Amino acid sequence: MKVAVIGATGAVGREMARILEERRFPVDEFVPLASARSVGRVVPFAGEEHAVRELTVEAAAGVEVAFVSAGATTSRAFLPAIAAAHGTVCIDNSSAFRMDPDCPLSVPEVNPEALEGWPRPGVIAVPNCTTIAAVLPLGPLHRAAGLRSLVMSSYQAVSGAGHKGTRELTEQVEKLHGQIEELARPDPSMLPEPDLFAKPIAFNVVAKIGEFEADGFTGEEAKMMAEPRKILGLPDLEVVATSVRVPVVAGHAVSMLATFDRPIDVVEARALLADAPGVTLMDDPEAGGFPSPLDAAGRDDAYVGRIRQVPGRPDALLLFSCADNLRKGAALNAVQIAERLFPR
């Protein structure tokens, strides 16, 4: 097939190219597209260097599948036109179409039914990276016991903000090197001036991802609350979220308090998650087994552990999930959608 990666020079775009090659997706012609400022750069694929072309509707002529990581504004501007003009299936990592009722929002291990009737020209949305880390373990628990309410707190890596996020953390750590003890009583003038994040991210956590909305939640929190409802088919699910940026390079983590329609204990939950696709169970408290972002970094699965019964609540569980935000949280999920649409 003729395959395009739109946003090919970004962190997720490059990861998409690597995963397409790694999983031997049937690519006959590889077309890297990006903004005008990236024209002339090269993207490696299948042992060759491919020159990046400027994204236009015409540049996608003949493309059967486009993997997209170029931001919501670009997706809205180009994807419907590309699909209409060329019959392209556009698998989009942005938030542009996630809540569109005519657009599937899919984590293939959790809601493959959302892809029924495809492929056809149009847009399929990849969920928010933190949403994916959450619904991979929630999916099998919901199917077994019926999810009734959900409280989430996320701990999100700086790479979720792209290369600039990783660079800002690195530069701030270097600036504060040798001043660690002073951070116990910091002089505000000694702290790095944040650029991308709302506050310094080195040796800190920042409880703001996205802009604050009228209800006090951030844009990221709004996504985390809306998307599980659509993926799990629970439009009335009671769900609230707090999203926090942490000084971690790769891997988003999410702590969840989930209540169910019937009693479900830790033993049953572990058994369900041990057999769940896309999940690696890492929950052995006696041996010190629990997940962290470094366990999940570079891996395909969500790593899940810290499963506990809420005291006095046989219908409520606590659990902790970590997933690579660039891989399963974005690029891999997009490729897995395409693999379901075009089985070999």
Side-chain angles (χ1 to χ4, degrees):
M1 292 189 292
K2 187 173 182 178
V3 173
V5 173
I6 297 174
T9 58
V12 174
R14 289 182 175 274
E15 187 72 5
M16 285 173 170
R18 283 191 291 267
I19 291 172
L20 286 167
E21 184 174 359
E22 174 188 306
R23 294 173 73 92
R24 299 185 180 181
F25 190 80
V27 179
D28 297 311
E29 185 177 349
F30 179 75
V31 182
L33 302 173
S35 64
R37 66 179 179 272
S38 294
V39 171
R41 296 174 64 181
V42 296
V43 174
F45 183 79
E48 298 180 5
E49 299 288 327
H50 297 260
V52 174
R53 297 163 57 190
E54 182 178 358
L55 172 62
T56 63
V57 174
E58 294 73 24
V63 170
E64 294 170 78
V65 184
F67 297 91
V68 188
S69 182
T73 301
T74 298
S75 291
R76 292 190 190 99
F78 286 97
L79 300 193
I82 288 172
H86 308 305
T88 307
V89 177
C90 301
I91 304 175
D92 182 30
N93 273 277
S94 83
S95 62
F97 300 99
R98 287 175 184 160
M99 302 314 297
D100 185 330
D102 296 323
C103 178
L105 180 68
S106 180
V107 179
E109 300 95 329
V110 178
N111 66 331
E113 66 279 0
L115 302 175
E116 290 178 3
W118 288 76
R120 63 178 187 266
V123 180
I124 298 172
V126 175
N128 176 276
C129 42
T130 310
T131 299
I132 292 175
V135 299
L136 278 167
L138 288 174
L141 299 177
H142 166 60
R143 286 191 293 272
L147 184 64
R148 189 168 71 245
S149 68
L150 180 64
V151 179
M152 294 185 287
S153 295
S154 71
Y155 310 86
Q156 300 182 215
V158 293
S159 57
H163 291 306
K164 292 181 179 179
T166 304
R167 183 168 63 248
E168 185 158 317
L169 172 62
T170 302
E171 290 173 352
Q172 290 183 4
V173 169
E174 290 175 354
K175 181 175 182 178
L176 292 172
H177 181 70
Q179 304 179 60
I180 304 302
E181 291 188 6
E182 287 85 344
L183 290 176
R185 286 187 173 181
D187 177 354
S189 64
M190 70 171 274
L191 297 176
E193 187 67 29
D195 179 26
L196 189 62
F197 303 118
K199 293 178 181 289
I201 187 62
F203 308 102
N204 199 19
V205 299
V206 179
K208 177 181 179 290
I209 304 177
E211 296 304 314
F212 288 116
E213 300 184 350
D215 58 4
F217 289 93
T218 65
E220 183 77 2
E221 291 160 353
K223 297 172 192 175
M224 291 171 59
M225 293 188 288
E227 293 174 20
R229 296 182 180 120
K230 183 173 180 178
I231 295 167
L232 299 174
L234 295 170
D236 298 321
L237 178 68
E238 180 185 338
V239 52
V240 292
T242 300
S243 61
V244 180
R245 190 73 73 187
V246 296
V248 169
V249 172
H252 287 357
V254 57
S255 172
M256 292 171 277
L257 165 60
T259 64
F260 299 89
D261 291 331
R262 67 161 176 84
I264 178 170
D265 62 19
V266 172
V267 173
E268 181 183 1
R270 286 175 178 159
L272 289 166
L273 295 174
D275 293 333
V279 171
T280 292
L281 182 64
M282 184 180 283
D283 192 41
D284 187 358
E286 292 183 1
F290 61 91
S292 72
L294 285 177
D295 295 309
R299 308 295 179 90
D300 290 352
D301 286 0
Y303 282 65
V304 182
R306 296 299 317 280
I307 304 170
R308 290 149 287 158
Q309 198 85 51
V310 175
R313 291 289 305 274
D315 62 343
L317 294 171
L318 291 157
L319 59 155
F320 189 76
S321 177
C322 302
D324 187 317
N325 53 297
L326 299 181
R327 194 170 175 88
K328 180 54 185 172
L332 175 62
N333 198 80
V335 174
Q336 288 173 319
I337 288 171
E339 289 172 340
R340 286 198 173 251
L341 301 184
F342 302 97
R344 296 181 219 187

